[in-house]
């Protein structure tokens, strides 16, 4: 298995993109982590066709040498000076930069520093697009990291079922989920958890409040553990005490839509068609109640490519890991969502989420 750095070198310096530039400079935290597997708040990865460097300062250099493979770790004092020296050493006349994630200030600083040495900074979309398409296809090792992050998330769901009772607040449930995941070894949480109940359930990205959960309400929990730098993402909706026929029917429809989208998620289909599989079912009866996309890619960031979104022409391919998360949000009444993470395989998809999803009434 070749490293992420080697894959990027191949994609940039051989084949149709060859000749665009002599070097590439990756400075964003997410892409640095993706390439090196080493989390750091500062640094950059400089790639040439024949060599790669991870430049960081004394806080990280020693630890990085123990972890980072496939590139030389260089301890720097002044980043731009060292970058310029290396570019000159390799005879580079042009360097690709990340247009999407570079601040204007950084871009100007690079242009000034490298320009003096006659090296052009190319901040078109080449580097961003190449990294995006590499990151879309997860390696078996990356999928295993997501599986392990999801395992903690599944275990937290099992745990919380005994904890949720009338009178507990949304915030208490969110905190208990987080404590549990961290006790199980999670490095952190994938995002600020969403725990919403009753009429708050229609706020699809609602913030947990001090509202006590009451009998007859849905509780929607959108959570995920962060492990090995990879983000799990799962939503489950449970009911407390009892449910109305209207709630039960809405739940059945969301589950039906979710299962239809998972069945549609296989190599060769358009990502937009996976969205459509869920949307057609919900729009027939709940028009306007499901306005977000059916799913998003997930990995070193909680939201990445591809999207299971209406009209998306991206073709699903093995290695993509995408959420499937239809929901219904009825203002003033209730809301619910069911979300799994699936990995596209050679023949269909593997559901990385194992928590039950038939309606649970606590
Ligand atoms: Zn989620
Ligand atoms: Zn999600």
């Amino acid at each position: 298995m070749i490293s992420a750095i080697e894959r990027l070198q191949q994609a940039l310096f051989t084949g149709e993109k060859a000749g665009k530039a002599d070097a590439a400079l990756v400075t964003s935290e997410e892409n640095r982590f993706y390439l090196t597997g080493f989390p750091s708040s500062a640094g950059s990865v400089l790639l040439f066709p024949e060599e790669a460097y991870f430049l960081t300062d004394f806080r990280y250099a020693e630890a990085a040498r123990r972890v980072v493979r496939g590139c030389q770790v260089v301890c720097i004092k002044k980043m731009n000076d060292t970058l310029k020296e290396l570019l000159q050493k390799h005879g580079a006349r042009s360097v690709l930069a990340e247009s999407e994630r570079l601040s204007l200030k950084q871009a100007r600083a690079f242009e000034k520093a490298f320009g003096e040495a006659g090296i052009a900074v190319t901040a078109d979309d080449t580097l961003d697009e190449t990294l995006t398409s590499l990151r879309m296809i997860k390696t078996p090792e990356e999928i295993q990291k997501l599986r392990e992050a999801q395992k903690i998330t599944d275990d937290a769901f099992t745990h919380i079922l005994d904890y949720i009772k009338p009178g507990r607040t949304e915030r208490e449930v969110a905190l208990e989920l987080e404590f549990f995941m961290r006790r199980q070894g999670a490095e952190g949480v994938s995002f600020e958890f969403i725990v919403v109940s009753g009429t708050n359930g229609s706020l699809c990205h609602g913030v947990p409040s001090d509202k006590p959960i009451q009998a007859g309400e849905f509780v929607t929990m959108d959570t995920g553990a962060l492990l090995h730098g990879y983000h799990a993402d799962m939503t489950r909706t449970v009911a407390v005490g009892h449910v109305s026929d209207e709630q039960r029917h809405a739940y059945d429809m969301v589950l039906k839509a979710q299962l239809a989208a998972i069945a549609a998620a296989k190599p060769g289909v358009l990502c937009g068609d996976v969205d459509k599989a869920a949307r057609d079912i919900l729009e027939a009866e709940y028009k306007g109640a499901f306005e977000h996309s059916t799913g998003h890619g997930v990995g070193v960031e909680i939201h990445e490519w591809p999207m299971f979104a209406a009209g998306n022409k991206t073709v699903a391919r093995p290695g993509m890991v995408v959420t499937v998360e239809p929901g219904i949000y009825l203002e003033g009444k209730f809301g619910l969502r069911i979300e799994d993470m699936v990995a596209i395989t050679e023949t269909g998809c593997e559901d990385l989420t194992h928590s039950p999803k038939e309606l649970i009434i606590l």
Side-chain angles (χ1 to χ4, degrees), residues 132 136 269-276 279 291-298 302-316 320-325:
T132 297
M136 269 205 291
V269 303
L270 301 181
C271 287
D273 288 345
V274 180
D275 177 85
K276 193 171 185 305
R279 198 165 301 282
E291 294 289 302
H292 59 74
S293 300
T294 295
H296 54 87
V298 60
I302 182 64
H303 293 129
E304 47 183 66
W305 302 101
M307 299 282 289
F308 285 156
N312 184 358
K313 299 272 191 285
T314 306
V315 176
M320 287 179 172
V321 178
V322 191
T323 67
V324 180
E325 50 178 307

Side-chain angles (χ1 to χ4, degrees), residues 197-202 217-218 246-247 329-335:
S197 61
T199 52
N200 289 349
S202 64
E217 290 184 338
F218 274 150
E246 189 185 10
Q247 282 170 300
Y329 310 95
L330 302 173
E331 193 177 338
K333 284 186 171 176
F334 60 83

Side-chain angles (χ1 to χ4, degrees), residues 191 194 222-223 233-235 296 302 323 325 337 339:
F191 50 91
I194 298 165
D222 192 346
T223 70
D233 190 6
M234 171 177 89
T235 308
H296 54 87
I302 182 64
T323 67
E325 50 178 307
R337 177 166 64 256
E339 175 181 25

Side-chain angles (χ1 to χ4, degrees), residues 39 46 70 84 87 110 119 200 203 206 262 277 280 297 303 311 342:
L46 182 63
K84 189 169 78 177
L87 287 163
F110 288 149
I119 301 161
N200 289 349
L203 309 168
I262 291 174
D280 282 353
H303 293 129
V342 302

Side-chain angles (χ1 to χ4, degrees), residues 35-317:
L35 292 173
T36 61
F38 181 76
S40 58
S41 65
S44 55
V45 179
L46 182 63
L47 300 109
F48 300 96
E50 66 285 354
E51 189 70 75
Y53 300 89
F54 176 47
L55 291 78
T56 190
D57 60 55
F58 72 98
R59 294 172 298 167
Y60 295 112
E62 185 186 340
R65 282 197 190 96
R66 294 182 192 176
V67 176
V68 179
R69 297 283 167 265
C71 63
Q72 289 188 41
V73 176
V74 180
C75 184
I76 54 107
K77 284 216 167 61
K78 286 195 170 161
M79 176 65 82
N80 289 359
D81 290 352
T82 310
L83 285 170
K84 189 169 78 177
E85 280 164 28
L86 287 169
L87 287 163
Q88 285 177 314
K89 181 182 157 196
H90 285 266
R93 309 302 301 161
S94 58
V95 56
L96 291 166
E98 295 170 280
S99 59
E100 206 176 275
R101 296 166 193 258
L102 205 60
S103 74
L104 200 52
K105 188 175 174 178
Q106 265 181 311
R108 282 191 190 129
F110 288 149
E111 274 164 4
K112 185 166 183 293
F114 308 158
E116 287 165 1
I119 301 161
V121 179
T122 311
D124 63 7
D125 296 332
T126 306
L127 184 54
D128 301 275
E129 284 172 6
T130 309
L131 277 161
T132 297
S133 41
L134 286 180
R135 278 177 50 182
M136 269 205 291
I137 308 298
K138 270 73 181 171
T139 63
E141 289 78 12
E142 289 184 287
I143 294 175
Q144 182 56 24
K145 287 174 184 171
L146 286 163
R147 258 188 219 110
E148 289 170 21
Q150 180 53 39
K151 170 79 170 72
I152 294 179
T153 311
D154 282 328
D155 289 347
F157 178 70
T158 306
H159 169 78
I160 210 69
L161 294 178
D162 283 336
Y163 182 84
I164 296 173
K165 291 180 176 52
R168 295 259 202 240
T169 68
E170 295 168 352
R171 264 170 53 80
E172 285 171 336
V173 171
L175 276 172
E176 183 64 21
L177 282 162
E178 183 168 344
F179 274 128
F180 182 89
M181 288 184 195
R182 286 199 176 246
R183 274 197 299 266
Q184 298 302 113
E187 294 150 11
V189 290
S190 288
F191 50 91
E192 294 293 329
F193 290 167
I194 298 165
V195 177
V196 284
S197 61
T199 52
N200 289 349
S202 64
L203 309 168
C204 61
H205 269 196
V207 177
S209 74
D210 290 323
K211 173 194 165 302
I213 293 162
Q214 292 166 27
E217 290 184 338
F218 274 150
V219 183
T220 299
M221 294 166 280
D222 192 346
T223 70
L226 176 68
L227 188 68
H228 314 304
Y230 283 74
H231 298 73
D233 190 6
M234 171 177 89
T235 308
R236 286 293 180 269
T237 301
V238 299
V240 179
H242 52 88
V243 286
S244 66
D245 290 346
E246 189 185 10
Q247 282 170 300
R248 186 180 290 277
H249 180 67
Y251 193 97
D252 289 346
M253 293 304 288
V254 171
L255 181 55
K256 193 174 162 192
Q258 207 240 8
L259 294 173
I262 291 174
K266 53 179 110 170
V269 303
L270 301 181
C271 287
D273 288 345
V274 180
D275 177 85
K276 193 171 185 305
R279 198 165 301 282
D280 282 353
I281 290 171
L282 294 179
E283 289 212 332
E285 217 178 315
Y286 293 96
K287 201 154 180 52
F290 171 43
E291 294 289 302
H292 59 74
S293 300
T294 295
H296 54 87
V298 60
V300 302
E301 285 178 279
I302 182 64
H303 293 129
E304 47 183 66
W305 302 101
M307 299 282 289
F308 285 156
N312 184 358
K313 299 272 191 285
T314 306
V315 176
R317 285 195 289 147

